[in-house]
Amino acid sequence: MKRISYLFVLGLLLMACKREVPVAIDSFRMQFAMPEECRDDIFYAEQTVNFRGPAQYSFRTDARGGVDIQSLIPGIYDINTYIEMSGREYKALLKEASTLSDDARLMLGVSLLNRRIFSAEDLNLQILAMQLSDLVISKVYYSGTKDKMDRNYTVDGYVELFNNSDHTVYADGLYLALAESVSPAAYPAKDNPDSIYARQICRFPGAGTDFPVEPGKTLLVAARSARNHKESAPTSVDLSQADFEVKLEDGSGNPDVRRLPIVSNSTAVQYFNLLSGGPNAVFLFATDEDVVNDWPEVYQRGKTSGERFRRMHKSVVLDAVECLKKPAQSDPDVNTKRFQDEIDAGYITINAVNGYNCQSVERRASRFENGRYYLVDTNNSSTDFTVSNDPTPGKYDKEGLQ
Amino acid sequence: MRKFFLSALVLLSAFAGGMPLWAQQASAFAASAQASGVAKQPSDLHRLELESTLQQFGNTDNSAGMGLFQPLSGSVTELKVFREAGDYHRAQEGNADLGFRFSTLRYDRLTEQLFMRGSFYYSYDSEKDRKWSDVIDPYYSIPYIYGSSIAKNYDRHHCRLDFDLYTTPLSDIVSVGVKLNYEVADISGRRDPRPRTGYLNLRAIPSVLLTFGDHHIGLDAGYGYSKEKLSGLATVQSYPNLYYYRMSGLDHMDGTVAGYSGFKRQFEGHRGLGELSYSWTSKKMDVLVSGGFEYESLSAYGDNKQIPGTFNALTYKLQAGLNVRGQAALHAVQMNASYKDGGADEYLQEKVSVIDRKTGISTQTWETLYIYKNRYVMGKTDVCASYRYYGGYTGGDYRWSVGAEAGWSSYRRAFYLPFSSAGATGWNLGVEGSCLLLRLRGHKLDLSAYCKGYLHGESSLELTSDNLYVQEVLLPDQAFYAKDYVRAGGSLSWQFPLNLGKAGAANGYVRLCGGYLRAFPTGFYNDISLAVGLFTF
């Protein structure tokens, strides 16, 4: 009976037109080239290369710094590979002597966002050497949550900075900013390869050594209100111990928390205006120039009124994280990224269209050594950051961060 | 009028040198009413069932062939309320359904050679606790479906108009006909996130029948259009963690908190179909063999003309029917087989935003980067054979019947890159019978009963993901297909004569139906319905 049924099915199938099904891409090579300043006998050998896309793959480069890929699902991939090394280690690879500090922190690698791989064409990728920032943005909480009455609660946002180096750094004089976030994007990175346009810029006060951040320690900035928000919304966070609070006047808000002043603003909002559903392109920069008087303010293209954004060159950026808005029907639109690939090659997004789901974006921990955490920093928030359902600041032993 | 038509037919046939057998049969069937001494009688339940059996072309899309057998002119109207409930169901089906159906069917002669069959059907029902599917068919159609994991009640309004127009042979050789179908439905969910779906289905099928003595060859070809549209989802409250899901085939899905916000999708379909039929009629036997196909092409559209993918399917159908009229007996054999082969192309698209530097106006379009051809494929096979014996058959009535049926079904779905698959087979067996308990002064009391069983065959499930959809839909569905069941039930019908005054005599009826299904090792499903109907001229 079983044989008859199989034969019957086989007969029917033979009658039907045979469908051509999709097949994986096979047999192509991905070759990595070291920076030009490196010696010719140096290869990007024995390193892990991660592909994230329709499927996740992890390859290992061979002795010649390449990978022979046998099978790959065609699609769009984020390709990421990196190694960290000190200035001393990097100088040992160079053809010529360098003035690079031995204590400098470098990242060798490449991060590609949305690389299209649809055919078996060999890939040739250039390894970049990037000096990493000592002070990085480690957490951004902007989604908000629900209060005791199930109403939207969005006054509990914060940005946390982390000293990822082995020496003390100082926040004095640094700038914390938000790029423009109008919809549609006024100045996306794909149309502006050299400039970033900020809608809000805050500046840390101090004479130079007033606000130290020890190695492995944090600096917490309350975006709007530095209080214990759990009293109003049990799922929220306690910001009463924040280091800085963005507010209009000293003594207002939480009088025990120092004011982080806004020095440039496209609107009248007097707090760090994180949007609950995004986008929030947060960045840290440093410059000796006069931001307010020397950097121009521009309207949106085609407009002569409304918001004006402060234009700056991308080279001033120390660290950045691109938080895109998640649409309901598709993946985030990467064409709306405000940061160039050299600033942030990826993006991160909370898993909610409008927010209010108590999620934060947090930088992953790469290792725990000598009693402190070191965080991942490849200048690609797609791989450096993850989404956490526990937005508690100052906490790096969360399961999802490891 | 009917007498005049038959007389004319007899005269014409004599003039042509002989009455074709189909005409003999039709006149004999009609004459049976005359032979009873009743000049004009409305139809009844037994006659309706016999007409459905003898009207072999009524089971095909070839309206032209319906002229071979002409039922009594008249109509039947029914109103039915029903309720069914149980825990033996698939994951994307509800656990209860409650509603009512109104239907009416009429045969009529418009001119000497032009006939019609028209029907109207309306139903309203409320399906309880359905989840994971805000589409009409989540199983054997386009895989780019969507839904919420929150169980909710769905209210459905369904309306259908069917119309067949056909002729008797023109110049004794060619009959023509056309079939028109119009169907609309409205489905709405009654819990956040609340979907509202509209559905439209149209079909037009012209047909022709060539008659060569007792042999008839039919051909029909037609076009259909369908549209299923989700205009949006509404929420009464706001939710911080309410997910909405978009599926792309088997275990592949994407869920987003508040993903229902601004979500839109519609399926637009075009169908082409064709059928070739052969019929042989004699004094004692009618044979019909029919084979056809239906090609279906569905496209999914999202916001701003985004295309998640397309689906195309080819369905092959084969059916054969044999009616043998014996001494006070009618044997009816029916066989049906169908095979549906479908495949979905998944579109990888990117939203392209272009900003006019002068005006700042942004234009957004979706650019297709790659198409995964046949990334999702499906196959479905159904084979069924049935035999029914009518005892005490007099042409327009019978006293009792007994029947048996057997069938085999299978389905297979597969997703490529990475590969996942699911499939199952099973056998159906059943027996049924009916008996006229009482006939007195136009009243009839009829009892019927059935007992059917399902034996599961092989089933398989091979997945690459382990997500909530797998846990709540695919695994429970696999368990559903792996169960055997026995189903028993019956109906009791009471038919009575009515006098509608100037409208003439009519037959009314009341029918109570019920059934119980027991699945093994666990599971049950029961149904009960009450219908009242009326036969008029």
Side-chain angles (χ1 to χ4, degrees):
Chain A
M1 183 76 93
K2 200 184 280 188
R3 186 176 296 179
I4 292 172
S5 63
Y6 283 143
L7 286 174
F8 185 79
V9 170
L10 183 61
L12 285 175
L13 286 173
L14 287 174
M15 286 193 302
C17 298
K18 185 170 170 54
R19 287 188 179 271
E20 184 182 340
V21 295
V23 295
I25 303 167
D26 59 355
S27 302
F28 69 97
R29 184 168 176 82
M30 179 170 59
Q31 182 65 45
F32 293 94
M34 292 295 285
E36 282 189 11
E37 57 191 355
C38 292
R39 299 197 309 272
D40 294 339
D41 62 332
I42 302 298
F43 297 98
Y44 194 73
E46 304 302 325
Q47 300 300 327
T48 302
V49 182
N50 295 310
F51 275 55
R52 197 174 71 168
Q56 296 200 27
Y57 300 89
S58 185
F59 303 108
R60 191 104 178 134
T61 57
D62 55 25
R64 301 289 296 177
V67 179
D68 290 313
I69 296 175
Q70 301 304 318
S71 177
L72 191 81
I73 296 174
I76 298 177
Y77 287 90
D78 296 338
I79 302 172
N80 183 267
T81 179
Y82 71 94
I83 47 175
E84 278 188 51
M85 60 178 58
S86 66
R88 178 183 292 110
E89 290 170 330
Y90 184 63
K91 285 193 291 187
L93 307 177
L94 303 179
K95 294 175 189 173
E96 297 172 358
S98 168
T99 57
L100 185 68
S101 165
D102 287 351
D103 295 329
R105 291 174 54 247
L106 282 91
M107 188 271 290
L108 256 67
V110 61
S111 280
L112 294 178
L113 186 67
N114 289 351
R115 181 63 183 242
R116 303 174 186 182
I117 303 178
F118 299 128
S119 61
E121 285 183 24
D122 290 346
L123 282 175
N124 294 307
L125 303 175
Q126 180 68 50
I127 295 291
L128 302 174
M130 287 177 283
Q131 195 161 351
L132 298 175
S133 175
D134 294 333
L135 198 63
V136 297
I137 299 170
S138 58
K139 298 181 194 293
V140 181
Y141 169 57
Y142 59 85
S143 74
T145 184
K146 295 286 190 177
D147 67 7
K148 294 175 184 175
M149 303 299 290
D150 201 36
R151 293 172 300 201
N152 297 336
Y153 190 83
T154 57
V155 298
D156 54 350
Y158 69 79
V159 176
E160 186 165 276
L161 307 180
F162 182 92
N163 183 354
N164 212 21
S165 71
D166 294 323
H167 53 267
T168 301
V169 297
Y170 298 90
D172 301 50
L174 295 180
Y175 295 87
L176 181 67
L178 277 171
E180 62 85 11
S181 58
V182 296
S183 179
Y187 295 98
K190 68 180 179 64
D191 296 332
N192 301 275
D194 297 320
S195 301
I196 295 172
Y197 294 76
R199 62 182 165 103
Q200 273 191 326
I201 302 174
C202 301
R203 189 181 186 189
F204 289 95
T209 56
D210 294 337
F211 301 106
V213 184
E214 302 297 324
K217 300 298 181 185
T218 62
L219 188 147
L220 179 61
V221 177
R224 188 167 179 177
S225 172
R227 55 181 283 266
N228 184 0
H229 294 280
K230 289 178 179 289
E231 295 169 357
S232 303
T235 55
S236 185
V237 293
D238 181 2
L239 299 181
S240 58
Q241 304 302 311
D243 300 292
F244 286 92
E245 181 183 29
V246 181
K247 51 192 173 183
L248 183 60
E249 295 173 353
D250 290 317
S252 62
N254 186 336
D256 297 328
V257 178
R258 209 166 285 108
R259 170 177 169 240
L260 180 64
I262 298 174
V263 298
S264 176
N265 206 349
S266 67
T267 67
V269 169
Q270 291 300 321
Y271 49 85
F272 202 59
N273 194 12
L274 295 170
L275 304 177
S276 61
N280 294 299
V282 185
F283 62 107
L284 194 66
F285 73 90
T287 183
D288 295 329
E289 297 179 32
D290 187 340
V291 169
V292 174
N293 295 314
D294 293 344
W295 291 1
E297 276 189 306
V298 297
Y299 290 107
Q300 293 183 54
R301 284 201 176 92
K303 292 195 173 184
T304 56
S305 62
E307 289 188 71
R308 288 196 298 173
F309 310 114
R310 187 80 60 182
R311 186 174 68 205
M312 66 191 74
H313 196 270
K314 64 183 179 183
S315 59
V316 303
V317 176
L318 297 175
D319 192 47
V321 55
E322 181 103 48
C323 306
L324 291 181
K325 184 175 179 64
K326 182 165 176 60
Q329 295 193 53
S330 60
D331 291 330
D333 184 2
V334 295
N335 294 311
T336 63
K337 275 174 56 65
R338 268 63 168 195
F339 295 140
Q340 297 79 9
D341 286 351
E342 312 88 275
I343 306 301
D344 184 355
Y347 66 86
I348 187 73
T349 175
I350 57 171
N351 199 18
V353 174
N354 299 314
Y356 318 125
N357 65 336
C358 200
Q359 282 186 336
S360 57
V361 297
E362 305 198 6
R363 194 179 288 272
R364 299 172 192 271
S366 67
R367 63 188 189 278
F368 185 82
E369 268 182 27
N370 302 320
R372 56 151 293 180
Y373 281 100
Y374 290 84
L375 304 184
V376 176
D377 185 8
T378 65
N379 278 358
N380 184 338
S381 51
S382 295
T383 51
D384 294 351
F385 278 77
T386 185
V387 176
S388 174
N389 292 321
D390 175 12
T392 305
K395 190 177 169 188
Y396 292 87
D397 57 354
K398 302 175 190 176
E399 193 178 322
L401 299 185
Q402 308 307 314
Chain B
M1 186 70 86
R2 185 162 57 86
K3 217 177 186 179
F4 172 78
F5 160 72
L6 287 170
S7 304
L9 186 64
V10 170
L11 276 173
L12 279 172
S13 302
F15 200 68
M19 181 183 293
L21 282 166
W22 65 266
Q24 293 179 27
Q25 175 190 336
S27 64
F29 188 85
S32 68
Q34 294 182 347
S36 66
V38 179
K40 193 174 183 182
Q41 280 291 330
S43 189
D44 63 14
L45 288 170
H46 279 188
R47 180 179 286 270
L48 184 69
E49 184 180 346
L50 289 172
E51 286 172 353
S52 174
T53 301
L54 295 171
Q55 177 57 283
Q56 291 183 313
F57 273 93
N59 297 323
T60 70
D61 288 328
N62 191 318
S63 302
M66 292 174 66
L68 293 181
F69 176 83
Q70 179 55 26
L72 283 181
S73 292
S75 58
V76 55
T77 304
E78 180 179 282
L79 178 65
K80 176 197 274 190
V81 292
F82 66 91
R83 184 185 185 278
E84 48 193 60
D87 60 8
Y88 179 71
H89 59 84
R90 288 178 290 191
Q92 288 161 304
E93 296 170 327
N95 57 20
D97 201 4
L98 170 68
F100 72 87
R101 292 181 188 136
F102 173 82
S103 63
T104 181
L105 167 71
R106 181 169 183 85
Y107 281 93
D108 221 337
R109 179 166 66 91
L110 302 178
T111 68
E112 278 192 21
Q113 287 187 289
L114 188 64
F115 295 83
M116 62 140 274
R117 178 181 73 174
S119 67
F120 171 76
Y121 168 94
Y122 169 77
S123 77
Y124 164 77
D125 68 295
S126 179
E127 189 175 4
K128 311 291 184 189
D129 292 334
R130 172 176 160 166
K131 57 183 179 179
W132 283 106
S133 169
D134 288 340
V135 301
I136 290 172
D137 180 6
Y139 296 106
Y140 306 119
S141 186
I142 193 164
Y144 308 109
I145 64 176
Y146 38 88
S148 161
S149 59
I150 305 297
K152 57 177 74 83
N153 298 344
Y154 285 79
D155 286 351
R156 292 186 290 216
H157 299 263
H158 186 197
C159 181
R160 184 182 170 112
L161 275 168
D162 295 318
F163 184 72
D164 291 276
L165 194 65
Y166 52 95
T167 70
T168 52
L170 309 170
S171 305
D172 282 341
I173 297 175
V174 179
S175 304
V176 295
V178 65
K179 181 184 287 287
L180 301 172
N181 304 121
Y182 173 80
E183 187 177 1
V184 290
D186 180 284
I187 301 123
S188 56
R190 305 298 299 273
R191 193 175 171 184
D192 288 349
R194 298 162 193 258
R196 182 80 186 267
T197 297
Y199 177 74
L200 168 70
N201 188 21
L202 306 167
R203 289 202 320 169
I205 308 170
S207 53
V208 65
L209 184 80
L210 303 178
T211 297
F212 306 100
D214 299 335
H215 302 272
H216 315 275
I217 297 173
L219 180 67
D220 62 83
Y223 167 78
Y225 172 81
S226 68
K227 190 170 188 177
E228 181 178 341
K229 184 175 181 179
L230 175 76
S231 303
L233 295 116
T235 53
V236 174
Q237 297 176 323
S238 62
Y239 305 87
N241 291 300
L242 182 58
Y243 279 80
Y244 198 72
Y245 300 91
R246 295 173 282 129
M247 277 63 87
S248 55
L250 274 181
D251 52 332
H252 299 268
M253 68 143 191
D254 179 41
T256 308
V257 172
Y260 45 81
S261 176
F263 180 80
K264 294 177 185 175
R265 189 160 286 182
Q266 64 180 21
F267 304 136
E268 194 168 0
H270 301 272
R271 291 175 173 81
L273 47 95
E275 187 179 34
L276 186 64
S277 310
Y278 167 76
S279 172
W280 177 69
T281 54
S282 71
K283 195 173 179 180
K284 290 193 174 181
M285 193 184 299
D286 304 321
V287 174
L288 172 68
V289 178
S290 172
F293 74 93
E294 179 175 309
Y295 178 76
E296 170 188 11
S297 173
L298 281 170
S299 298
Y301 297 103
D303 191 34
N304 287 336
K305 293 291 186 181
Q306 180 204 12
I307 304 176
T310 61
F311 175 80
N312 61 84
L314 195 55
T315 303
Y316 303 93
K317 300 176 190 175
L318 183 68
Q319 66 169 306
L322 170 68
N323 294 331
V324 179
R325 288 173 288 278
Q327 186 71 24
L330 173 66
H331 305 262
V333 179
Q334 184 72 26
M335 287 176 46
N336 290 283
S338 70
Y339 173 67
K340 182 174 183 178
D341 170 69
D345 298 339
E346 185 176 318
Y347 282 47
L348 181 62
Q349 294 192 315
E350 180 183 70
K351 185 185 274 189
V352 177
S353 301
V354 176
I355 300 175
D356 188 312
R357 287 177 177 267
K358 290 181 182 176
T359 62
I361 294 174
S362 170
T363 303
Q364 297 177 341
T365 54
W366 286 93
E367 180 186 315
T368 300
L369 304 176
Y370 190 77
I371 300 176
Y372 298 90
K373 289 278 191 185
N374 294 314
R375 194 168 196 186
Y376 171 85
V377 295
M378 55 80 59
K380 186 173 184 297
T381 306
D382 291 288
V383 180
C384 179
S386 66
Y387 167 75
R388 196 81 184 258
Y389 176 86
Y390 295 91
Y393 172 69
T394 60
D397 200 356
Y398 66 93
R399 287 193 63 85
W400 56 277
S401 73
V402 66
E405 64 180 39
W408 179 80
S409 60
S410 81
Y411 91 91
R412 183 176 181 271
R413 295 184 286 170
F415 185 95
Y416 291 88
L417 302 183
F419 181 76
S420 308
S421 72
T425 64
W427 291 91
N428 300 290
L429 299 165
V431 291
E432 57 185 346
S434 69
C435 177
L436 183 66
L437 298 178
L438 177 68
R439 186 208 300 265
L440 181 66
R441 294 179 186 174
H443 292 254
K444 288 183 182 177
L445 189 64
D446 212 32
L447 177 69
S448 72
Y450 65 86
C451 183
K452 301 181 182 180
Y454 174 84
L455 298 172
H456 75 277
E458 293 188 350
S459 63
S460 65
L461 186 64
E462 184 184 336
L463 303 172
T464 56
S465 310
D466 183 18
N467 51 43
L468 195 60
Y469 190 74
V470 170
Q471 297 298 321
E472 293 203 4
V473 177
L474 297 181
L475 291 176
D477 276 0
Q478 204 63 15
F480 171 89
Y481 288 117
K483 289 184 179 180
D484 302 329
Y485 72 73
V486 173
R487 184 178 173 194
S491 68
L492 187 66
S493 306
W494 169 44
Q495 185 176 290
F496 44 89
L498 291 171
N499 192 334
L500 302 181
K502 288 184 180 177
N507 281 325
Y509 67 87
V510 177
R511 179 163 52 198
L512 178 67
C513 302
Y516 180 78
L517 181 150
R518 173 78 163 90
F520 302 94
T522 60
F524 77 97
Y525 207 80
N526 56 54
D527 62 270
I528 187 167
S529 67
L530 178 66
V532 293
L534 185 67
F535 288 94
T536 58
F537 293 109

